Amino acid sequence: MHAKQAVNDFVVKFANVNGTGSASANHMFAKAIFRMGIPVSPRNIFPSNIQGLPTWYEVRVSHKGYLGRRGGGVDLMLCVNPQSMERDVKEVEPGGYFVYDSTKPLDPRLIRSDINYIGIPITSMCLREYTDARQRLLFKNVIYVGALAALLDIEFGVLKDLVAEQFKGKEKLITQNVHALEMGHQYAVQNYACPIGLRVERGGNIARHILETDHILMDGNTAVALGAVYGGASVAAWYPITPSTSVVDGFETYCKRLRIDPGTGEKNYAIVQAEDELSAIGMVIGAGWNGARAFTATSGPGLSLMGEFLGLAYFAEVPAVLVDVQRSGPSTGMPTRTQQSDVLAAAYASHGDTKHVLLFPATPAECFSLTVKAFDLADRLQTPVLMLTDLDLGMNDWMSPPLHFDDQHTYDRGKVLDAEALEALAREGKRFGRYLDVDGDGIPYRTYPGAHPTIGAYTARGTSRDEYALYTEDGAAYVRNVDRLLKKFETAKQYVPEPKIKPAAKKTPYGAIFFGTTASPAYEAVEMLAEEGIAIDTMRLRAFPFSQAVEDFITAHETVFVIEQNRDGQMRRLLINETDVPAKEKLVPVLNYDGLPITARQIAAGVRAGIGGTDNVTPIDRSKRKTSRKSKP
Amino acid sequence: MTYQKPSFRHPAAQVNELGYTRRDYEGSLSTLCAGCGHDSISAAIIEAVFTLPLEPHRIAKMSGIGCSSKTPAYFLGRSHGFNSVHGRMPSVTTGASLANRDLVYIGVSGDGDTASIGFGQFGHAVRRNLNMTYIVENNGCYGLTKGQDSATADVGSKNKKGAANPYEPIDLVSMAIQLGATFVGRSFSGDRQQLVPLIKAALTHRGFAFLDVVSPCVTFNNHEGSTKSYAFTRERIEATPLDFVPMREEIRTSYAAGATQEVCMHDGSVIRLHKQNDEYDIEDAQSALQAIAHHNKQGRVLTGLLYIDRDAHEMHEVLGTVRRPLNSLTEKELCPGTKVLDSINAGLR
């Protein structure tokens, strides 16, 4: 029998039952590999359910540091869920391994001749060892992690350290967990040749750029939460929705640690769980108008509900930060599956002529830094800033460069006139006009309520107004106002983060544009294609409005693949709509929208199909070029 | 259209104890229909804050959409205002209050804005005991869209076209008491003597102060068959006269002293209720609800201060936020710095 051989380069998948405590054991498995300095990317593939339905945890180990999904089958399946066993067996790559609970014999129909079976009698071990029903259930997970450690050569000491950290101060739990790990470990060592063909190894073949960075392992939502703390958010209003909930949960956790007034024990923050998303964004806008940095976190359905208010904030020019952790839509869609399908809804949220500033982080480190940036942008531009992450980035742990903050950074509160500035203005004989374009950049000056007893008061409104914030239905005043808003949007281009451009090793007519979580598998696919002789320049978008660099990139290439995770090629359409260069013919969509993160193999196949062959010297025959939709992995 | 402000509002050079003239509390000219009850309420608000007194710039005027929500333009021109979206004034005010707890928030809404599209937000602002004065200018109809029945229109009351409303009304004061509002009053736009002290008391209350003010729509709901017309309301009103005595101010009362109940506010101000025979304990929610229902059955509208709970914690007290307004915090209080971040990074390895 062929047994797959690989060092630091394989995919392990756990098939569990939701609500059985597997998540923390699986996390420990991934963290142990990470602790050994080996790039790892774990992903929860979970149901919209609390208990009972199948749930999976996929861990990719990649010495090259590829963090996106590889695609194809898995190399090792650890299956302890009879419900899903039939499909789980099928998912194993030829030569791969199927690890199962052998307390009961395996159904002969599940036997494949081209994979290796490793049985561990987990249930009977637990029944023998424990009398408590809860322990019998929970330690199953720990036992299989112990067994995998032996099978894959994970350092046992690292696992013991993790247990000790997790249960710090609870000696009894530490002893019990280490014992369970040992039971699994010993069983594997005594019954199988360990390690199997797949194994991990410190140093070894790990890419140098990986070894040189002191990586962290964290999820995007927690990074956003910390970004909000560092960015100076003092008000958070939200309504629970998967997959964004842990953003505000994380914010609260860090605030309790970092934002308590040392003298009084009072809170330097306020968090309100609103009655719905309308109210959540309303509170953010009320707080922003009144000079506090405020944010909300939501997902697609919440974004839809917030539309009217986003239009108000755009038109009345109120700073607000909204984090949209995207999931599969439309409607309730697949609430626990990922997508990048809110791009257009976010860019143009609300009726009327409306455009919003968008940010697209790709890593936890960037979730942190762009959240900090979002608050500065919202204040500077006096407008909502929408940061689009997704379920994959938000809820999964990612190996990331450490979070970075510059102590020299001071908050950019934008153009705010305080009492002193208002008086200076009055001394110059000038009248304060809330919506006057004083500097010619489309950004007016604002005042906080209560700033001055006699000057600077105005009424913020969603109705049309003149430069002095007075209600008007004069068409000319309306046009002046909305044209200034457009000018302000143009000004925004100089403040938003530039795209990251990576040129290919040689000159090429091909470019690829992507953003967010599509970046990791896209870079991997580009390296795969480079080995095949297809050179591709890449541009990772980080913001909307698009800067000049985006137009230049499109202009510089004959064909530009726009890789994203939605059906309609929404970013492609936004590029066509919002750039002034001929783009429609050049931009070729490469898409995946089945709710699972796009894989490197899907992207590579999509690009090959788009080129119409694997030889990039062959001129493109546009008539034959077809859109690659959900190409096979 | 009210073209001119009545001159009696400008007694020459009269200043309040903060040194402001009445004009400092006025707004721009009203564009509502002449005789609109809402303009009387605006005048009552001006009178209340002028005599209380409050500094105009320490007040924020909040509103949603509708005739009522336009009125903040017509009073307190030196205050910031936020004319937001339909039915959403409560959430915007909640956010504003979170950012700066030191300002006085006056929200003006209508029966459509509160009892229909904004019903949810209203309920939750009540539940949080948001520290604000929430005034509903209640005319039982949609004025700006020309007279459709609202959710507070009485069953059987006729609209301008003569059609009778088939639905039971939502009684906002009962609703507010049931939801846990800590200050609930009802008045009539035409009863300045009752309305002004009620607004003053509401502004002094720490927590959610709700005022349902019956305010006839002269254009669409002031005809025979309407139960929110001037004539109907004047006839059926059951008023509990009251005075509001601000802290430090001498007692001036226009009502004859009868049986009175005094309610002392947190700042030392006093509300004096002039009791009538069928009065009840206004600190008991059940009695208040019964009294409202009782009068309602008799075809009367019970007005005055209907319920008060002076001990409940307002939103900031519940949240435990700092005394300082959150919008005044700087990097020093907000940003933990790189050393802390380094240790957070270390914990993620």
Side-chain angles (χ1 to χ4, degrees), chain A residues 105-349:
Chain A
L106 204 59
D107 184 336
R109 285 170 298 182
L110 299 179
I111 305 289
R112 272 170 60 181
S113 59
D114 61 341
I115 62 172
N116 306 280
Y117 289 85
I118 298 174
I120 299 165
I122 307 172
T123 304
S124 67
M125 286 163 84
C126 280
L127 287 175
R128 204 169 52 233
E129 191 71 22
Y130 308 107
T131 50
D132 177 67
R134 196 177 141 73
Q135 288 189 335
R136 281 177 170 173
L137 191 67
L138 285 179
F139 284 121
K140 273 187 189 178
N141 307 313
V142 186
I143 287 171
Y144 71 62
V145 171
L148 285 179
L151 297 169
L152 299 173
D153 221 6
I154 297 170
E155 292 171 15
F156 200 77
V158 173
L159 280 173
K160 276 167 70 175
D161 288 349
L162 286 170
V163 168
E165 288 167 28
Q166 190 185 343
F167 300 108
K168 198 175 173 187
K170 298 170 187 161
E171 289 306 318
K172 199 176 160 197
L173 278 177
I174 296 174
T175 312
Q176 284 176 342
N177 276 278
V178 170
H179 177 64
L181 283 172
E182 278 167 347
M183 280 199 298
H185 198 268
Q186 275 168 16
Y187 186 90
V189 169
Q190 285 162 7
N191 293 279
Y192 297 95
C194 291
I196 55 174
L198 309 176
R199 63 188 177 85
V200 292
E201 186 188 315
R202 262 183 207 273
N205 56 359
I206 312 285
R208 224 181 63 203
H209 75 275
I210 301 289
L211 295 173
E212 282 168 356
T213 307
D214 203 2
H215 286 99
I216 57 171
L217 189 68
M218 89 183 298
D219 64 86
N221 282 357
T222 307
V224 167
L226 257 179
V229 173
Y230 275 76
S234 57
V235 174
W238 69 300
Y239 186 76
I241 182 169
T242 303
S244 72
T245 302
S246 53
V247 171
V248 180
D249 281 348
F251 182 68
E252 182 159 29
T253 303
Y254 283 115
C255 280
K256 280 180 176 167
R257 254 171 71 189
L258 304 169
R259 285 279 193 79
I260 302 295
D261 185 281
T264 61
E266 292 166 338
K267 295 172 183 168
N268 282 324
Y269 66 95
I271 299 172
V272 176
Q273 183 184 317
E275 55 271 29
D276 52 33
E277 285 91 346
L278 286 76
S279 189
I281 189 70
M283 290 177 197
V284 168
I285 289 167
W289 167 73
N290 214 352
R293 289 191 153 186
F295 79 105
T296 189
T298 190
S299 191
L303 179 71
S304 295
L305 285 173
M306 292 177 185
E308 185 191 25
F309 254 131
L310 287 170
L312 171 75
Y314 170 81
F315 196 53
E317 299 181 67
V318 181
V321 172
L322 185 159
V323 181
D324 175 12
V325 187
Q326 298 168 97
R327 68 187 208 186
S328 303
S331 190
T332 310
M334 290 195 286
T336 60
R337 297 287 188 266
T338 197
Q339 249 177 19
Q340 297 178 309
S341 52
D342 293 345
V343 176
L344 289 172
Y348 301 122

Side-chain angles (χ1 to χ4, degrees), chain A residues 35 214-215 217 229-230 259 266-269 275 279 283 287 290 309 403 405 407 411 447 450 458-460, chain B residues 57-58 80-81 83 88 95-96 105 121 128 319-323 327 331 334-335 337-338 341 345 348-349:
Chain A
R35 278 277 174 92
D214 203 2
H215 286 99
L217 189 68
V229 173
Y230 275 76
R259 285 279 193 79
E266 292 166 338
K267 295 172 183 168
N268 282 324
Y269 66 95
E275 55 271 29
S279 189
M283 290 177 197
N290 214 352
F309 254 131
L403 309 183
F405 187 80
D407 273 339
Y411 299 152
T447 54
Y458 72 96
T459 289
Chain B
H57 73 291
R58 303 304 295 171
H80 274 70
N83 183 193
R88 315 294 172 221
Y105 296 94
Q121 294 217 342
R128 291 186 189 99
L319 290 173
T321 40
V322 280
R323 301 293 159 91
N327 71 355
E331 285 87 344
L334 297 174
C335 185
T338 52
L341 193 60
N345 277 321
L348 295 166
R349 290 191 179 109

Side-chain angles (χ1 to χ4, degrees), chain A residues 465-478:
Chain A
R465 71 280 164 146
D466 65 11
E467 284 79 354
Y468 299 93
L470 297 174
Y471 177 77
T472 178
E473 289 168 15
D474 173 24
Y478 171 85

Side-chain angles (χ1 to χ4, degrees), chain B residues 223-246:
Chain B
H223 44 268
E224 199 155 326
S226 158
T227 59
K228 295 237 176 351
S229 66
Y230 279 109
F232 187 94
T233 311
R234 282 225 165 85
E235 227 167 76
R236 314 294 168 95
I237 210 147
E238 189 64 42
T240 304
L242 71 141
D243 303 320
F244 176 77
V245 187

Side-chain angles (χ1 to χ4, degrees), chain A residues 403-424:
Chain A
L403 309 183
H404 175 74
F405 187 80
D406 181 359
D407 273 339
Q408 302 303 311
H409 177 86
T410 53
Y411 299 152
D412 178 3
R413 300 306 314 263
K415 299 183 186 180
V416 180
L417 299 178
D418 57 12
E420 212 173 298
L422 284 166
E423 273 169 23

Side-chain angles (χ1 to χ4, degrees), chain B residues 140-209:
Chain B
C141 75
Y142 285 80
L144 269 183
T145 51
K146 304 201 170 173
Q148 297 79 12
D149 286 331
S150 84
T152 63
D154 288 310
V155 63
S157 91
K158 288 182 179 158
N159 66 19
K160 185 115 188 187
K161 289 175 185 157
N165 170 37
Y167 302 110
E168 285 293 332
I170 290 170
D171 181 41
L172 286 171
V173 288
S174 300
M175 184 61 64
I177 294 169
Q178 279 168 359
L179 289 167
T182 52
F183 181 111
V184 178
R186 181 156 57 193
S187 191
F188 170 47
S189 63
D191 186 356
R192 180 85 67 97
Q193 283 189 318
Q194 184 195 51
L195 181 56
V196 172
L198 255 187
I199 294 173
K200 288 163 87 167
L203 288 166
T204 312
H205 177 69
R206 195 169 71 203
F208 192 85

